[in-house]
Amino acid sequence: MSEIIELIKQLRDRTGAGLMDCKKALLENDNDVEKAAVWLREKGIAKQAKKASTRIAADGKAWVKVDGNKAVVYEVNSETDFVANSDPFKELVSKIGDIILKHEPHTMEEALASQDDEGKSINDMFIDAGIKLGEKLSFRRFIVCHKTDKQIFGPYVHLKGKIATLSVIEGGDDELALNVSLNVCSNNPAYVTFEDIPEEIIAKESEIAKETFANDPSFAKKSDEIKERILAGKVKNSLVDQVLVEGPFVLDNSKTIGQLLKEKNAKVVHFFRYAVGEGIEKKEEDFAKEVQSQIK
């Protein structure tokens, strides 16, 4: 009896599976730990595949890691905040960042095939972690960013991984780079400057502005030059919230980020922002109904 208990303990430590699952796996495989581990994994993969087709992973962590002149911003998803804050999930997130920084894959397919120093792929890590944690997990997205020796990274993770931002600046210092990332996190801009806004966006806003004044008699009486200035001002006001340098500095509303950069003789080269679950339609769960279904 003590021997089987020891085998169950070995299998549980190795796979993270429950006690009864480990016991069943050993019984199905003549108490062979190696075969039982494979059996558990195969059963777990099938279970995870079934779960993946019906569940939505919209929680998790957005994270950023820096290694010298390269950095990665990425998002790893779980179904619940409880799992997202568990130690195994946090360890998974950290390992993924290290692997991506090392291999610098260009696609998600390449990323999932990338391996750690022991030869284990990110894809296999997700399978094993999903079996252990009992939830659907997914590696949603990532972006690898490079900088020059003269440029500065400003990594920032908000609320333990709800939002991750990274700014790249020229001039200034680490504090300025961090302050820029704080603004990116808070204001969620789409562009660094007005000059970065695509022409089609400007054209669309211009059409909207023209429609606004179409039935305004006082506007119709103005000269073409004044009309153009009014329309340009209308377009600028409609887009100002999307421009990073025009936004108020979150730590001092008396100045904009653009003014802060000018004081430090610096400029923003790039910025990135990932918020956990943005764009994912969460499934509304009836908790009482779910509990009843589990009881049945």
Side-chain angles (χ1 to χ4, degrees):
M1 186 67 178
S2 59
E3 183 181 350
I4 189 66
I5 292 174
E6 179 60 30
L7 291 176
I8 290 173
K9 184 178 183 301
Q10 288 180 27
L11 188 57
R12 187 185 185 191
D13 290 343
R14 181 168 173 174
T15 64
L19 290 174
M20 296 308 295
D21 287 335
C22 288
K23 182 179 179 181
K24 184 177 181 180
L26 288 165
L27 287 173
E28 293 286 338
N29 293 278
D30 299 321
N31 291 338
D32 187 315
V33 174
E34 291 292 334
K35 290 181 180 178
V38 172
W39 186 88
L40 277 171
R41 194 166 189 275
E42 288 175 348
K43 293 292 183 182
I45 291 171
K47 188 177 180 181
Q48 286 299 109
K50 183 179 179 180
K51 183 177 290 186
S53 65
T54 58
R55 306 297 290 264
I56 297 173
D59 217 301
K61 289 192 182 298
W63 211 254
V64 56
K65 275 201 167 190
V66 175
D67 181 16
N69 280 348
K70 59 183 175 181
V72 59
V73 187
Y74 57 111
E75 180 184 353
V76 182
N77 298 115
S78 62
E79 291 181 51
T80 65
D81 186 61
F82 177 78
V83 163
N85 288 308
S86 68
D87 288 338
F89 188 83
K90 288 188 280 189
E91 183 180 350
L92 175 68
V93 171
S94 182
K95 283 184 178 179
I96 288 170
D98 292 337
I99 295 171
I100 296 300
L101 281 172
K102 179 179 179 180
H103 295 282
E104 298 186 49
H106 295 93
T107 65
M108 183 54 74
E109 185 178 5
E110 290 180 10
L112 291 172
S114 298
Q115 300 176 345
D116 64 10
D117 293 337
E118 297 176 356
K120 191 171 187 178
S121 71
I122 288 179
N123 187 62
D124 286 342
M125 289 179 189
F126 268 92
I127 291 172
D128 292 346
I131 293 170
K132 184 175 183 178
L133 294 170
E135 284 196 5
K136 176 182 177 180
L137 307 178
S138 66
F139 185 16
R140 185 184 182 195
R141 52 183 173 168
F142 71 93
I143 185 165
V144 178
C145 176
H146 292 83
K147 73 173 184 66
T148 67
D149 290 335
K150 293 182 179 180
Q151 294 171 343
I152 301 171
F153 280 139
Y156 175 65
V157 175
H158 186 62
L159 291 177
K160 299 181 180 179
K162 291 300 182 184
I163 302 173
T165 59
L166 176 73
S167 62
V168 185
I169 68 170
E170 282 186 3
D173 51 26
D174 290 340
E175 183 181 7
L176 177 61
L178 175 60
N179 285 335
V180 170
S181 290
L182 287 173
N183 255 65
V184 171
C185 176
S186 177
N187 295 341
N188 192 19
Y191 314 101
V192 176
T193 68
F194 276 110
E195 288 69 27
D196 298 318
I197 302 176
E199 285 296 326
E200 57 267 27
I201 300 296
I202 299 292
K204 183 178 180 180
E205 289 298 326
S206 295
E207 287 301 314
I208 294 173
K210 288 178 182 178
E211 290 178 10
T212 302
F213 292 108
N215 298 316
D216 186 343
S218 63
F219 180 78
K221 295 177 182 179
K222 300 183 185 300
S223 67
D224 290 341
E225 182 182 349
I226 292 177
K227 285 180 181 178
E228 287 300 319
R229 278 162 41 190
I230 292 174
L231 289 172
K234 184 76 172 176
V235 170
K236 186 173 182 178
N237 286 335
S238 66
L239 295 172
V240 68
D241 290 341
Q242 299 183 46
V243 179
L244 172 62
V245 298
E246 299 295 328
F249 177 33
V250 291
L251 300 182
D252 181 0
N253 288 333
S254 68
K255 64 178 70 175
T256 65
I257 278 292
Q259 291 170 330
L260 185 66
L261 289 163
K262 190 174 182 180
E263 289 174 4
K264 302 287 187 178
N265 193 28
K267 68 175 182 178
V268 176
V269 181
H270 303 292
F271 69 81
F272 307 95
R273 181 185 188 275
Y274 282 173
V276 169
E278 60 187 349
I280 299 176
E281 186 176 347
K282 295 186 179 182
K283 184 179 179 180
E284 294 296 328
E285 299 285 355
D286 186 332
F287 184 69
K289 186 177 181 180
E290 185 176 347
V291 170
Q292 287 297 323
S293 67
Q294 292 296 323
I295 292 172
K296 290 178 182 179

